[in-house]
């Protein structure tokens, strides 16, 4: 039996969750997301907590139970707090900048590398070698 899957997921008042037809929906201040849940599991939503439960005794030993609980927890965290990552470029002449919706990287090649930024991702470059990524997904 999974120790992770048994844990409840706490939600705050800003997040609304629903489970209908095998799809878990979460809506918060940063956006809304949906995830498809395997038919072996059921989502129990109470006032301020969410629990992932197996439908029968046979699926209690299924390792997907813990994975499903982790995915639901990540969806809830994404719509309420979001995710962020800071990247640092190390190397002589390595630089990064944001121009409109394009991340421009200078990584020692004879040409610049232009990366189109997805709509749900926010990228900032406070210094030439630091890249801050923020998103709810």
């Amino acid at each position: 039996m999974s120790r992770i899957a048994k844990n409840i997921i706490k939600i705050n008042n800003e997040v609304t969750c629903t489970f209908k037809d095998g799809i878990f929906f979460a809506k918060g201040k940063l956006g809304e997301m949906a995830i498809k849940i395997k038919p072996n599991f059921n989502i129990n939503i109470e006032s301020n907590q969410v629990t992932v439960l197996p439908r029968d005794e046979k699926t209690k030993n299924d390792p997907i139970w813990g994975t499903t609980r982790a995915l639901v927890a990540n969806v809830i965290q994404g719509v309420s707090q979001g995710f962020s990552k800071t990247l640092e470029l190390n190397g002589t002449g390595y630089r990064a900048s944001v121009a409109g919706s394009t991340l421009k990287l200078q990584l020692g090649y004879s040409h610049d590398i232009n990366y189109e930024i997805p709509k749900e991702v926010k990228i900032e470059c406070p210094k030439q070698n630091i890249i801050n990524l923020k998103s709810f997904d």
Side-chain angles (χ1 to χ4, degrees), residues 2 4 7 17 23 27 36 50 54 56 59 68 90 101-102 109-110 115 123 129:
S2 176
I4 293 173
N7 296 335
C17 300
I23 299 176
K27 185 175 182 180
K36 186 174 181 179
V50 176
D56 55 18
T59 56
T68 303
N90 290 321
S101 65
T102 304
Y109 294 107
S110 61
Y115 182 76
I123 297 181
N129 65 335

Side-chain angles (χ1 to χ4, degrees), residues 88-136:
E88 182 179 353
L89 298 175
N90 290 321
T92 305
Y94 287 12
R95 292 185 177 95
S97 62
V98 177
S101 65
T102 304
L103 176 64
K104 183 178 176 183
L105 299 171
Q106 296 173 346
L107 302 175
Y109 294 107
S110 61
H111 61 282
D112 293 343
I113 297 171
N114 296 321
Y115 182 76
E116 192 67 30
I117 301 170
K119 293 178 183 177
E120 58 271 352
V121 178
K122 293 181 178 86
I123 297 181
E124 298 172 342
C125 295
K127 293 183 180 179
Q128 290 183 346
N129 65 335
I130 303 290
I131 303 169
N132 291 332
L133 304 164
K134 294 180 183 176
S135 178
F136 66 89

Side-chain angles (χ1 to χ4, degrees), residues 75-95:
V75 166
I76 292 171
Q77 180 184 351
V79 297
S80 63
Q81 301 167 1
F83 298 100
S84 66
K85 190 73 172 174
T86 300
L87 306 174
E88 182 179 353
L89 298 175
N90 290 321
T92 305
Y94 287 12
R95 292 185 177 95

Side-chain angles (χ1 to χ4, degrees), residues 7-61:
N7 296 335
I8 60 171
I9 305 164
K10 299 219 184 247
I11 56 175
N12 56 18
N13 295 335
E14 298 174 349
V15 179
T16 58
C17 300
T18 57
F19 180 65
K20 184 178 178 183
D21 298 329
I23 299 176
F24 176 76
F25 295 97
K27 185 175 182 180
K29 63 181 179 182
L30 297 179
E32 60 182 77
M33 293 180 64
I35 185 171
K36 186 174 181 179
I37 304 297
K38 299 267 185 192
N40 300 344
F41 303 102
N42 192 17
I43 306 290
N44 185 15
I45 301 169
E46 293 178 6
S47 61
N48 61 349
Q49 64 185 16
V50 176
T51 310
V52 179
L53 301 170
R55 292 199 187 259
D56 55 18
E57 288 292 319
K58 202 157 102 175
T59 56
K60 280 192 174 183
N61 295 326

